[in-house]
Amino acid sequence: MPKGIFVRKPFTKVHKKNISKAKIGSVAWNKGLKGWLKHTEESKRKMSEASLKRGARPPNNSKPKVEKICEYCGKIYEVLPHEVNERQYCSIFCSSKGKNSWNLGKHHTYEWRLNLSLKRKGKNNPSYIDGRNKLNRRSRRSLRYKIWREKVFKRDNYTCIWCGARNGNGKNVVLQADHNNPWALYPKLRYKVDNGRTLCISCHKKTDSYKKNIKL
């Protein structure tokens, strides 16, 4: 038997003409069919009976579906009988919006947050690099500063004391806790709540203690 790769020679025009004449009058086997060959209803019934005799599980679409109401959007949707007690929402979107987060409404105490901060502070932090952060940056990122800022916001009811701007009613206002006496000039008053005030960004930029306006 010869070895190697054989390439079929292209048909000549005469050969193609002879093949075309030979197929005149014959009907293609897939004429009138869309896609693959479709089974008749009788053929489908026989295949279903044969699969059930072999012990196959009947398809789920043969069971009547049950209507339910989505607990989030109120839309009526259909589920299979075995999913009645499992599904409460019509889609993944409604499921994510309808379920409450496990930590919703839970707040840690200041003592707990302070202890956790001390355990991850300085050389105790696995990402610590000696001499990388300045003292000023570390102070502004400390838990003590965050607690001071929260107390200032709560005292002013999360409202700018100059223009009265606050979040809500479609408005997104960024509030900042400003020091009456500048941070750099009065280090002993940095964490005094009486030395803080709530301002929006535009009002904060107008103050003399803003970082670009302050004169040391």
Side-chain angles (χ1 to χ4, degrees), residues 41-55:
E41 295 297 330
E42 182 67 18
S43 177
K44 291 179 181 179
R45 184 182 61 80
K46 290 182 180 180
M47 288 189 295
S48 178
E49 291 177 355
S51 62
L52 292 176
K53 287 181 181 179
R54 293 194 302 267

Side-chain angles (χ1 to χ4, degrees), residues 1-47:
M1 184 176 180
K3 297 181 180 180
I5 299 174
F6 296 90
V7 180
R8 182 181 62 81
K9 294 182 180 180
F11 292 131
T12 62
K13 292 183 179 180
V14 178
H15 195 175
K16 291 180 180 179
K17 192 174 182 179
N18 293 334
I19 294 175
S20 179
K21 287 181 180 180
K23 292 186 177 181
I24 293 176
S26 61
V27 181
W29 68 272
N30 59 350
K31 185 177 181 180
L33 297 178
K34 295 181 180 180
W36 189 242
L37 181 63
K38 294 185 178 180
H39 297 289
T40 61
E41 295 297 330
E42 182 67 18
S43 177
K44 291 179 181 179
R45 184 182 61 80
K46 290 182 180 180
M47 288 189 295

Side-chain angles (χ1 to χ4, degrees), residues 92-107:
I92 298 177
F93 175 80
C94 292
S95 177
S96 61
K97 295 294 183 181
K99 293 180 180 179
N100 293 329
S101 178
W102 65 271
N103 58 351
L104 181 65
K106 295 182 179 180
H107 301 282

Side-chain angles (χ1 to χ4, degrees), residues 104-122:
L104 181 65
K106 295 182 179 180
H107 301 282
H108 296 295
T109 61
Y110 289 133
E111 291 77 9
W112 187 92
R113 293 168 62 185
L114 183 60
N115 293 332
L116 182 63
S117 177
L118 293 175
K119 290 180 180 179
R120 299 179 179 179
K121 199 171 185 179

